[in-house]
Amino acid sequence: LGLRLPGKGYPSPEGDAPMALPPRYTWLDSLGEGGQGSVELVMDQDLGRCVALKTLHSHKTNKEDLIDLYQESRITGQLEHPHIMPIYDVGQLPDGCLYYTMPRLPGESLHHVLALRRRGNAETLARWPLMPLLQVLGKVCQGVGYAHAHGVIHRDLKPANILLGEHGEVLVVDWGIARVLHSVDGARGRLWSREGEERVERVRGSPPYMAPEQVKHPDHVSPAADVFCLGVILYEVLCRESPFPGSTLDE
C-alpha cells in the first residue's frame, strides 16, 4: 500500500542501529547474539508489527556461513508446524548479508526454567511443576516428529532451543545445523558446496546432548540422534541434573 506505519510505543533509534536495514524495517533494539550472528528487534513497517531479525556477524562472510544461514531459513520456512518457529521473511541487507525474520516470542527458554528448578527457586517450582514440563516436552516431540517425517534432523535439540511463550506457546528454534535427508518441497534436499560435490559434514552440536554417533560419524546421523537429545532433556526434567555432567567432549 506504500504506507509506513510508526512503531507505536517504541523509539526509532536509527542512529544507534548496528546495521543498515531494508526500507521495510526500522531497528528498535538488540535481542542477543551468539557465535554465528545476532538477533535484532525491528519494526515491520508494512505490517505494523515487531519481529525478530536474525543475521550473521559482519565478519562472517565465507561461503559456508552464508550457506548455513540460507539453509536454516529455508528448512525452518518449510517446516510448518505449531511447535516449530515460523519464518516471516528472508532477504539481503543493503550490505549484501543474508537475514530472515521470525516472531519475537515473549517468555523464556526451557533452559532458564530448568536452571531455576535446579537451584530450588520456589516461584519456578510452583509455576512449573513436573506435569506441565512433561506436556512441554510432548509438544516438542510433536514438532520434532513432524520434522523427521519431512526428512529433517535438528541435531542441536537442547533446553536453550525450546522457547516457552506467555500464552502456552512451545517452539523449537535454531535449525542452523539441521541435516536434510530429503527435501520438503521435492527439490534436492542436500546442499552442495561446489557443483557435483557434496558438503562434508563436521562434528557440530552441544556436547551434553549429542548422541555418540553424532560425534563419531556425523555423516551418518539419523533421526535417532534427535531422540537421544530428547531423552537427555527428559532426564533433566525428571532429575534436575544432567546425565552427562562432564566438562569435556570425551567426558
Side-chain angles (χ1 to χ4, degrees):
L1 299 177
L3 300 176
R4 296 295 173 188
L5 306 178
K8 296 181 180 179
Y10 290 93
S12 297
E14 294 181 358
D16 298 328
M19 65 194 71
L21 295 170
R24 175 175 179 174
Y25 298 108
T26 300
W27 183 83
L28 299 174
D29 199 2
S30 292
L31 295 177
E33 62 178 52
Q36 296 298 314
S38 63
V39 180
E40 310 296 327
L41 178 65
V42 300
M43 170 62 70
D44 182 341
Q45 300 285 0
D46 287 353
L47 295 177
R49 64 182 178 184
C50 292
V51 300
L53 181 147
K54 182 173 182 177
T55 187
L56 293 171
H57 290 308
S58 58
H59 64 277
K60 293 283 186 179
T61 57
N62 65 63
K63 185 177 180 180
E64 291 296 312
D65 291 327
L66 295 175
I67 288 176
D68 283 346
L69 187 69
Y70 173 73
Q71 175 172 268
E72 179 179 354
S73 65
R74 183 174 173 83
I75 289 173
T76 312
Q78 293 178 24
L79 295 176
E80 299 183 71
H81 189 274
H83 301 307
I84 295 176
M85 177 70 83
I87 297 295
Y88 289 153
D89 181 32
V90 62
Q92 286 184 290
L93 300 176
D95 65 3
C97 188
L98 298 176
Y99 75 87
Y100 68 82
T101 62
M102 55 192 168
R104 182 205 179 185
L105 185 66
E108 56 195 341
S109 70
L110 182 60
H111 171 80
H112 180 65
V113 170
L114 295 182
L116 291 176
R117 281 174 56 86
R118 277 195 297 272
R119 293 200 291 267
N121 181 276
E123 180 182 351
T124 303
L125 289 170
R127 188 163 55 93
W128 285 105
L130 183 58
M131 282 308 300
L133 286 175
L134 293 176
Q135 290 168 353
V136 164
L137 191 55
K139 294 177 180 179
V140 172
C141 290
Q142 291 173 13
V144 173
Y146 174 89
H148 290 173
H150 287 77
V152 178
I153 308 170
H154 189 286
R155 296 201 301 174
D156 198 20
L157 293 170
K158 57 185 177 182
N161 286 338
I162 299 169
L163 299 187
L164 311 174
E166 295 178 341
H167 302 285
E169 305 97 326
V170 177
L171 292 175
V172 180
V173 304
D174 200 351
W175 297 76
I177 65 169
R179 181 177 176 85
V180 182
L181 300 179
H182 56 77
S183 177
V184 177
D185 62 359
R188 175 179 290 174
R190 309 285 286 279
L191 294 183
W192 298 64
S193 57
R194 291 196 297 271
E195 185 65 27
E197 180 182 342
E198 189 176 339
R199 294 181 68 197
V200 176
E201 295 285 0
R202 60 186 187 274
V203 177
R204 292 190 295 178
S206 300
Y209 301 91
M210 291 166 67
E213 68 270 20
Q214 191 170 342
V215 179
K216 297 178 181 178
H217 307 289
D219 280 310
H220 302 287
V221 171
S222 73
D226 280 352
V227 178
F228 184 96
C229 296
L230 293 170
V232 176
I233 297 171
L234 174 60
Y235 186 100
E236 289 188 348
V237 168
L238 295 175
C239 303
R240 299 193 205 174
E241 63 181 19
S242 170
F244 308 111
S247 58
T248 68
L249 180 60
D250 287 340
E251 291 176 1

